[in-house]
Amino acid sequence: MLFDRLKRFAIVLEGAERGAPAAFSPGQAVAGRVLLELAAAAKLGALRLRAIGAARVHWTESRSAGSSTAYTQSYSDQVEFLSHRDTLLAPPDNGEVTVLQAGRHEFPFTFQLPETLATSFEGKHGSVRYWVKAKLHRPWSTVKKVKKEFTVIEPIDINTPALLAPQAGAKEKLARAWYCNRGQVSVTAKIDRKGYTPGEVIPIFAEIDNCTSRAVVPKAAIIQTQTFIARGTKKQKKSVVTSIVGDSIAAGKREVWHGRALKIPPVGPSILQCRIIQVEYSLKVCVDIPGTSKLLLELPLVIGTIPLHPFGSRTSSVSSQYSINLDWLSTIPEQPEAPPEYSSVVSSPEAEQSLAPPCPSELGGVLEGPFFAYIQEFRFRPPPLYSEIDPNPPSDNIRPRCMTC
């Protein structure tokens, strides 16, 4: 039997470390080889290779149809990004088989990745996977298969005007208990930009006014939202990536965060361009109010792969100045405790409400304010046109100075 003589059948990708999948970028060439090691001479038919990349989603929902009848509805969809086929060892044209002698044989291959690919991802209801599969054929025998997965990382450069723009917002909430007004709680928060990379520290600038009769507790967290889409239906899963808890604010007092640090742990980048899978992030500043639901303020985030260029933008000046004195960062553990569940940061009613897309009117006040308008005007205003005519000619009433006087 052939498979009794087959000592090794494997795929090796160039650039891959031992035991770890290789990582590539869209548009890059993938090269490797199929290793075939035989203990004795064997007859082979063909050796074929296929590279595959696809996004898949699948989930089921139970629905009730009356008092006693229930049924299950399934949702699934798939998007193919990559499909490459190659024949590394073809059988002779005369119909005979190829005989390989005992020993080690290598069959190199290479193929080009498309320019547009989604980042590799593993989620609860879907995934984005890439792999190379080799099939070894022999006449009158079963097919031997081997598969090698590899990782694709879509580059997201945070050094773009959209991701370098500051993000700010404000919200307020009237605390009620037993139909009585207990006062108002308001929060205003700002971060210096929208795009960050894992390992960076987000300085949070916030003001929390507690005009109620009881103490409140402010919190901040990075939330990851996985959205799976199939047949026009969406399925979302939210989780807390990391969080911090502020000091309790007494009744009638105000708390100010002068760049409160929130470090981003190792997480996957945002996925925004896939039709059926999206991975989004947001910074949520919430205030626990006793006797009523939380006050929640959300600022959008994009987790990229290309870090901020040093002194590359005017909008990064806040973070540059803030990073001058970071001695206290040594107190932050490199391996923090597991983050809390999403439900512990956001209450159930507000969690259900947050699943709906944000209303454009909620962001209009922030994006249409005078500060944002000034940034846009400063960034995109063209230089004045060149002219040979002096726009401010000297006045005729001014006498020229006599050099002989």
Side-chain angles (χ1 to χ4, degrees):
M1 295 291 293
L2 167 65
F3 301 143
D4 296 335
R5 306 171 187 175
L6 186 61
K7 296 176 60 178
R8 186 183 181 190
F9 183 39
I11 298 175
V12 177
L13 295 177
E14 294 183 3
E17 299 180 0
R18 182 182 298 273
F24 301 91
S25 299
Q28 189 176 354
V30 178
R33 60 190 184 276
V34 177
L35 300 181
L36 186 62
E37 190 172 350
L38 300 174
K43 297 180 179 180
L44 303 179
L47 176 61
R48 293 187 171 89
L49 184 85
R50 186 181 181 190
I52 306 172
R56 296 186 176 94
V57 297
H58 177 76
W59 74 89
T60 58
E61 295 181 2
S62 298
R63 300 184 180 275
S64 177
S67 58
S68 59
T69 304
Y71 67 96
T72 300
Q73 183 73 39
S74 297
Y75 297 89
S76 62
D77 202 349
Q78 175 176 332
V79 175
E80 187 177 83
F81 300 121
L82 170 66
S83 181
H84 171 81
R85 298 176 183 270
D86 195 4
T87 300
L88 305 182
L89 178 64
D93 296 335
N94 55 11
E96 298 181 358
V97 295
T98 301
V99 178
L100 291 183
Q101 300 300 319
R104 179 188 177 97
H105 303 270
E106 295 187 1
F107 301 89
F109 62 86
T110 182
F111 58 90
Q112 193 80 17
L113 293 177
E115 294 292 338
T116 303
L117 291 175
T119 298
S120 299
F121 169 76
E122 292 291 334
K124 183 176 181 180
H125 304 293
S127 63
V128 180
R129 298 175 182 172
Y130 301 88
W131 67 92
V132 180
K133 181 183 293 185
K135 292 184 179 181
L136 182 61
H137 299 261
R138 185 201 178 199
W140 312 104
S141 182
T142 56
V143 178
K144 185 70 172 179
K145 302 177 183 179
V146 65
K147 184 171 71 171
K148 180 71 173 181
E149 294 186 3
F150 62 94
T151 302
V152 171
I153 301 178
E154 179 187 9
I156 301 179
D157 189 357
I158 69 171
N159 300 277
T160 59
L163 299 186
L164 291 176
Q167 304 296 308
K171 272 194 174 182
E172 58 186 25
K173 189 179 186 65
L174 186 64
R176 297 176 179 270
W178 296 102
Y179 303 101
C180 297
N181 295 336
R182 299 298 186 184
Q184 184 172 275
V185 178
S186 62
V187 58
T188 303
K190 176 182 178 295
I191 54 178
D192 61 339
R193 49 192 161 94
K194 183 178 181 180
Y196 289 87
T197 53
E200 283 192 283
V201 172
I202 303 178
I204 305 173
F205 301 87
E207 291 186 4
I208 303 99
D209 287 322
N210 181 17
C211 297
T212 68
S213 58
R214 303 181 67 179
V216 299
V217 179
K219 299 178 181 179
I222 297 178
I223 308 296
Q224 183 195 68
T225 303
Q226 301 176 8
T227 304
F228 307 91
I229 306 171
R231 295 165 49 188
T233 303
K234 294 183 178 181
K235 184 76 170 179
Q236 287 190 327
K237 180 182 183 300
K238 296 194 174 189
S239 59
V240 177
V241 174
T242 185
S243 64
I244 56 174
V245 180
D247 299 330
S248 178
I249 306 175
K253 298 296 183 180
R254 169 185 292 184
E255 176 74 13
V256 179
W257 286 2
H258 297 285
R260 189 69 180 266
L262 183 58
K263 188 175 182 180
I264 305 176
V267 293
S270 301
I271 300 178
L272 307 175
Q273 305 300 327
C274 182
R275 181 174 61 84
I276 61 175
I277 295 179
Q278 295 179 356
V279 178
E280 299 171 302
Y281 293 89
S282 62
L283 173 67
K284 293 194 175 182
V285 180
C286 66
V287 182
D288 281 339
I289 307 174
T292 186
S293 58
K294 296 180 176 67
L295 171 60
L296 181 63
L297 173 63
E298 182 176 1
L299 301 178
L301 288 177
V302 172
I303 302 300
T305 60
I306 302 177
L308 183 70
H309 298 330
F311 310 105
S313 172
R314 293 178 181 265
T315 56
S316 64
S317 59
V318 175
S319 61
S320 300
Q321 298 173 6
Y322 178 76
S323 61
I324 293 176
N325 185 10
L326 295 181
D327 297 336
W328 46 267
L329 275 182
S330 58
T331 61
I332 299 179
E334 290 297 330
Q335 295 182 352
E337 298 180 359
E341 294 294 331
Y342 178 72
S343 57
S344 65
V345 179
V346 181
S347 59
S348 298
E350 298 204 7
E352 295 177 358
Q353 183 179 2
S354 65
L355 297 182
C359 179
S361 61
E362 297 181 1
L363 300 179
V366 178
L367 299 183
E368 296 176 2
F371 180 70
F372 182 81
Y374 172 77
I375 295 177
Q376 295 295 94
E377 182 182 10
F378 174 79
R379 181 177 297 167
F380 299 111
R381 176 180 290 179
L385 298 176
Y386 175 77
S387 176
E388 295 287 348
I389 302 175
D390 188 356
N392 300 307
S395 175
D396 296 334
N397 298 328
I398 301 177
R399 293 188 306 168
R401 183 178 180 182
C402 180
M403 303 302 295
T404 60
C405 297

